[in-house]
Amino acid sequence: MAAEIFEEKLTCAICLGLYRDPVTLPCGHNFCGVCIKDSVTRLGRECPECRELVPDCAALRRNVALSNVVELVQAAKWEPKPRPGAQPGALTELGPAACCPRHGRPLDLFCRTEGICVCSACTVFECRLHELALLEDERQEREAQLKATLETTVQQAARAKAELQKLQQRSSQIQSSACNLASMVSSKFSCLLRALETRQASALKAIEEAKTEQLVKAQVGEQQLQDHLEALARHDCKVQNLLGQPDDRTFLQESQLLAPPEPLRPLTPLQWNEDQQLGDLKKLLSQLDDLVLEEGAHPRVPAEAADLGPMEAPVPVAPVPSPVCPLRRDLWQNYRNLTFDPDSANRHLHLSCQNRKVRHRREPRDQASPNSFDLWQVQCTESFQAGRHYWEVRVSSHSVTLGVAYPELERNKQGTHIDNIGRGPSSWGLCLQEGGSQAWHNGEAKKLPAVSGRLLGMDLDLASGHLAFYSLEPQIQHLYTFHAIFTQPLYPVFWLLEGRTLALCHRPGSQEDTSEPN
């Protein structure tokens, strides 16, 4: 009984174990050095028993006399007592106690051969020829290994995220490309003979199947990357929790069971080739019209086309508005058929289809009119001074500008700009670029999102003073509206980059009697 009372007096009030490197506070209470430092860090600088302020932990000194008494008690109390069922001479696995169950000494060493914590007595007998290390040294080595593993998983996660982003972008490109191809194929076949409808459906089905096949691969790849990221995240969480484990024994036991996730397996590459999707169509339609598969061209093919030889490129026709689009049907009430003014066209702009289509080519025309633009621009013959007017154009790609201008728009190049539509007070323009679009007037630009559709509409209302731009594919979308008081006749004007094509879409039977002569 006296021994138990004596041992109780040598028990730390924080860890409830015998003192380890005890220190004495100014208030007279004793605690393990590690315990009181941890208590000050987590709970504040107060004595856990009397709440008196504790000085700087660096000033606390070890109680040598009390440490010697604790060592004597430990040496007198513990005797080799094997556990029930244990084999004689066998080492006991690390349990909840802080001392060796065979020798009663502190477990301050780690046997790398056996993978357990041992005391100094174990090194003389059972672990005499084993590889040993201090607990702190073993933990530092294990921590370094885990940190290196953590860095590797972080790098793998970054690479996986980059691959996921590329895969998602590629999937979006495939979806957009497939949508454009399907729209183009539909518009081509809608003008051909009924006998070609079967071929149209076959082409669309092939594109859809190819798109579905690639997108399925993309989804599988996305799921693989997501699963890998989740596995990396779970492993990182376990590593972080393990690095924060204060108990050395628990840390060493769990660290042996923790393994990093398997490396990411190679992803199946996505295969998408637009030329391959359209290869059969090109062969089939090349004999009918060399412009059938030209980017941005939507010709009107007569019923007799299959029996004709070479013929002139037909005039682009405005697609009929969908019954579910009341806005576009309202705009069509003021539809105007336009034509380009050949005298205004730059030498690099070549007109065709009765001056309703223009293409920018590197080779200039032999002659140029004195009234032509020095810039890559062309304006229409028609001008508008009153009323409301609407027209549609089809562009082959980005890097084109649509707008209207007064007759005084400069023909000569001034400044560093490659076009002058919207650069001054006498013109208004919408510039379509690959990464976005811009609305220009009087030298000021307003940035707008990118325009994916190639069929565009312009609504000019001189009475209310507004000029609105619309994207009509795949559905109608308002792009921007200028508000101004127009005081002079307005001419539609356009700018094209090299290789681009622009066509004025005509609506048969539309009103043109309100347009002013050039």
Side-chain angles (χ1 to χ4, degrees), residues 43 52 138 154 169 225 252-253 325 339 349 384 432 466 508 511:
L43 304 177
E52 182 176 334
E138 183 66 16
V154 169
Q169 291 177 352
L225 291 171
L252 293 173
Q253 280 186 333
C325 185
T339 55
L349 302 184
F384 307 106
L432 307 180
H466 80 252
Q511 301 177 9

Side-chain angles (χ1 to χ4, degrees), residues 312-333:
E312 183 181 359
V315 177
V317 177
V320 178
S322 171
V324 297
C325 185
L327 173 58
R328 193 175 176 205
R329 285 196 172 274
D330 179 64
L331 294 172
W332 265 48
Q333 300 301 319

Side-chain angles (χ1 to χ4, degrees), residues 361-439:
R361 296 179 179 175
R362 179 176 298 181
E363 300 78 11
R365 291 181 281 111
D366 295 335
Q367 298 179 354
S369 170
N371 198 35
S372 64
F373 285 99
D374 288 346
L375 302 163
W376 297 334
Q377 296 179 182
V378 61
Q379 75 176 25
C380 289
T381 305
E382 297 79 11
S383 65
F384 307 106
Q385 193 168 7
R388 187 172 182 179
H389 313 274
Y390 175 77
W391 60 93
E392 295 178 356
V393 300
R394 182 172 291 279
V395 298
S396 63
S397 183
H398 56 79
S399 301
V400 298
T401 301
L402 323 175
V404 296
Y406 290 152
E408 63 191 39
L409 183 66
E410 288 290 339
R411 295 298 198 262
N412 299 326
K413 181 177 180 180
Q414 296 180 352
T416 58
H417 294 294
I418 57 178
D419 72 276
N420 62 357
I421 303 176
R423 309 297 180 174
S426 61
S427 59
W428 296 258
L430 179 70
C431 181
L432 307 180
Q433 298 295 340
E434 182 177 8
S437 56
Q438 296 177 333

Side-chain angles (χ1 to χ4, degrees), residues 248-266:
D248 295 339
R249 293 161 295 144
T250 303
F251 169 83
L252 293 173
Q253 280 186 333
E254 295 183 358
S255 65
Q256 297 181 91
L257 303 178
L258 185 62
E262 296 181 359
L264 180 65
R265 291 176 297 176

